[in-house]
Amino acid sequence: MTSCHVADDPIKKVAIFGGTHGNELTGVFLVKHWLENGTEIQRTGLEVKPFITNPRAVKKCTRYVDCDLNRVFDPENLGKKMSEDLPYEVRRAQEINHLFGPKDSEDSYDIIFDLHNTTSNMGCTLILEDSRNDFLIQMFHYIKMSLAPLPCYVYLTEHPSLKYATTRSIAKYAVGIEVGPQPQGVLRADILDQMRKMIKHALDFIHNFNEGKEFPPCAIEVYKIMEKVDYPRNKSGEIAAIIHPKLQLH
């Protein structure tokens, strides 16, 4: 995948979301740290706001309370009349849209970094939702080169079956960051360090971009889902197999 022209307008407002899933603790830890001392994420001329997206789920250390916050930022849910009868995450989505949006408007934040963990052995992974977004392709290339020799992968999710209304989709540029393997409800120091470096390099890229640095055309390798393979199941629909030890690396 290659990049050519990059956006001309400077980046002014950036948010860093942690706790979209309350049991993915690296983003929660980092955002809470930056809320107390945000010196390392500040860049000249740039507003950077760390934010806990799902505080109730974080408090319970669970993925969500009523429904997945990372699936409800669609026009239907964002447009519902606010009511206590709505699922908590739908109400929270409307609050977040008010703070960082409105979605698809000129007033929305320029970039949202949404921090996630996975139990999968994905290492450092950047999630790209649009293969034609030259600005993000350049940013991802910069992050990959800065992290080397530590591998950093790019996961492309623009296939129609993978589209959903993510928390980060409010922003003009949506960036998912996923680092693993890490069990849910657990912190690993190495995983935390890797995610912290990814954010540092991303903010450095934005600073360089705003300062007028030119970025030559580049190419990045991306991964995308070709098909989904389910576990073997018995007649009751229960999983009837486990991952082979040679594939279960961590």
Side-chain angles (χ1 to χ4, degrees):
M1 182 173 297
T2 60
S3 168
C4 298
H5 177 71
V6 177
D8 297 318
D9 296 332
I11 302 300
K12 297 178 180 178
K13 296 191 297 183
V14 173
I16 304 173
F17 285 177
T20 294
H21 296 140
N23 57 2
E24 298 175 11
L25 297 190
T26 305
V28 174
F29 182 94
L30 286 173
V31 165
K32 286 184 174 181
H33 169 70
W34 291 327
L35 285 169
E36 290 189 9
N37 182 358
T39 304
E40 69 180 276
I41 59 171
Q42 299 308 315
R43 300 293 186 276
T44 303
L46 190 64
E47 175 189 337
V48 182
K49 184 176 180 63
F51 186 78
I52 295 292
T53 42
N54 197 337
R56 289 192 188 178
V58 169
K59 186 175 182 179
K60 293 185 175 183
C61 196
T62 186
R63 183 177 175 89
Y64 55 79
V65 176
D66 292 326
C67 59
D68 195 332
L69 182 64
N70 210 30
R71 305 290 190 274
V72 295
F73 284 78
D74 56 273
E76 180 183 356
N77 280 306
L78 294 179
K80 288 179 178 176
K81 184 178 180 181
M82 182 64 81
S83 165
E84 288 297 317
D85 295 331
L86 290 177
Y88 166 69
E89 276 81 9
V90 173
R91 286 182 277 130
R92 185 62 175 162
Q94 293 185 7
E95 294 170 359
I96 294 169
N97 188 51
H98 176 74
L99 290 170
F100 297 94
K103 184 175 179 176
D104 298 325
S105 77
E106 286 299 315
D107 295 329
S108 64
Y109 265 58
D110 294 308
I111 300 175
I112 292 176
F113 296 104
D114 195 16
L115 308 183
H116 289 267
N117 291 119
T118 174
T119 56
S120 300
N121 188 26
M122 291 172 64
C124 297
T125 301
L126 294 158
I127 300 174
L128 179 66
E129 298 181 5
D130 182 1
S131 61
R132 298 175 298 278
N133 193 312
D134 292 339
F135 176 79
L136 290 184
I137 291 173
Q138 287 282 2
M139 177 193 288
F140 288 9
H141 180 265
Y142 182 93
I143 295 170
K144 285 169 63 70
M145 295 301 100
S146 299
L147 285 172
L150 180 70
C152 181
Y153 308 100
V154 178
Y155 173 37
L156 179 63
T157 62
E158 64 180 358
H159 189 279
S161 68
L162 301 175
K163 283 292 184 185
Y164 48 76
T166 59
T167 311
R168 59 189 174 268
S169 67
I170 296 173
K172 297 178 180 71
Y173 298 104
V175 179
I177 293 180
E178 191 142 8
V179 187
Q182 177 171 281
Q184 296 167 351
V186 172
L187 267 175
R188 278 181 50 169
D190 56 341
I191 299 295
L192 188 146
D193 181 63
Q194 291 167 23
M195 185 177 285
R196 194 173 192 170
K197 287 177 179 175
M198 293 173 80
I199 288 292
K200 175 197 179 301
H201 297 316
L203 294 174
D204 287 345
F205 170 85
I206 296 168
H207 175 74
N208 290 336
F209 172 79
N210 285 346
E211 290 289 304
K213 180 177 180 179
E214 293 187 8
F215 298 93
C218 65
I220 59 172
E221 181 180 66
V222 301
Y223 293 83
K224 61 182 181 179
I225 290 181
M226 304 303 294
E227 63 174 323
K228 295 183 179 181
V229 180
D230 194 13
Y231 283 93
R233 296 179 182 270
N234 61 24
K235 293 180 180 179
S236 301
E238 299 169 328
I239 292 175
I242 59 175
I243 300 295
H244 194 279
K246 290 184 178 179
L247 295 178
Q248 192 73 54
L249 299 178
H250 291 275

